[in-house]
Amino acid sequence: MASTPPPMSPSSTGLRVDAERNRQRIVTAAREVFAELGLDVPMEDIARRAGVGVGTLYRRYPTRAGLIAAAFEAKMNAYADAARQALTDPDPWHGFCGYVEQICAMQACDRGFTTVLTMTFPTAKQFEAARDRAFADFTTLIERAKAAGKLRADFVTEDMPMFLMANAGVLTATTDAAPDAWRRLVGYLLQACAASTAQPLPDPPRPRQMYKAMLRAARRQRPSHKP
């Protein structure tokens, strides 16, 4: 009498081993494709890169937003860790400049992350928790650099997403022809942040205004094909 094969063992995530393997392949493929081509790549292309059927992809990630959050979770954690690490720098100004440069470099290395930094994912709790942690640490970093007399007194947290949007625009326009042009932009921005050379600026945008701008930027990146 033939024996009945044992059921597939569950993985640490609660999925069967084969299902978890497919999940990992999908996330890895999405991370690679988003980094290379941006977030508007057809889901079918991601499934093909992962070596799974498109139905399998949609069962695991019914929405594009869910797949994006899964693909960039590790990078968002690195984003948050960069702010925490900057706080350990004994020179607050050096820590501030190093953080801005590092985040802009993360954008330059990953076309998808360029857009993710200006998007929100309300249903991805861990993803948004990492973003919140980064924001809190960056706020502290700003306060330390100002207290040291190095960062201009009128710098506000809303300036950082504005920097990222500016950097994203330069990257989009110059990546193929002048891939290092973004470094010059960041250099200009950091020089403008120095207290020693600060000149009066117009009032900054309010937090709600920047939030609306981020949502608008995300909508512009939203693909017209199936989510």
Side-chain angles (χ1 to χ4, degrees), residues 42-209:
M43 298 287 263
E44 291 78 6
D45 289 359
I46 297 171
R48 191 177 304 112
R49 174 79 69 95
V52 302
V54 70
T56 298
L57 186 153
Y58 278 115
R59 279 194 297 274
R60 292 298 310 131
Y61 297 100
T63 67
R64 180 178 295 268
L67 180 56
I68 290 172
F72 288 97
E73 182 176 356
K75 185 149 287 187
M76 183 56 75
N77 286 331
Y79 173 67
D81 291 344
R84 184 62 51 88
Q85 183 63 33
L87 287 175
T88 67
D89 195 314
D91 183 336
W93 175 243
H94 186 266
F96 172 85
C97 292
Y99 173 77
V100 173
E101 290 170 347
Q102 184 173 353
I103 299 309
C104 290
M106 289 175 69
Q107 282 188 297
C109 293
D110 191 325
R111 290 183 61 181
F113 196 56
T114 297
T115 305
V116 168
L117 285 174
T118 62
M119 296 173 68
T120 57
F121 300 87
T123 63
K125 303 302 182 184
Q126 292 183 338
F127 191 93
E128 291 300 316
R131 188 201 301 274
D132 292 344
R133 176 162 59 91
F135 179 80
D137 286 343
F138 181 57
T139 300
T140 302
L141 190 65
I142 291 172
E143 294 169 351
R144 291 178 69 237
K146 286 183 179 180
K150 298 297 183 65
L151 177 62
R152 59 183 306 142
D154 57 356
F155 187 92
V156 294
T157 54
E158 290 73 37
D159 287 328
M160 188 62 192
M162 189 163 55
F163 283 9
L164 295 175
M165 290 179 185
N167 193 45
V170 169
L171 287 167
T172 298
T174 66
T175 295
D176 293 336
D180 289 330
W182 67 272
R183 297 183 184 279
R184 187 171 177 87
L185 170 69
V186 174
Y188 273 128
L189 294 174
L190 288 175
Q191 287 185 34
C193 287
S196 60
T197 58
Q199 298 293 322
L201 289 173
D203 291 339
R206 295 188 298 274
R208 181 64 184 172
Q209 291 176 315

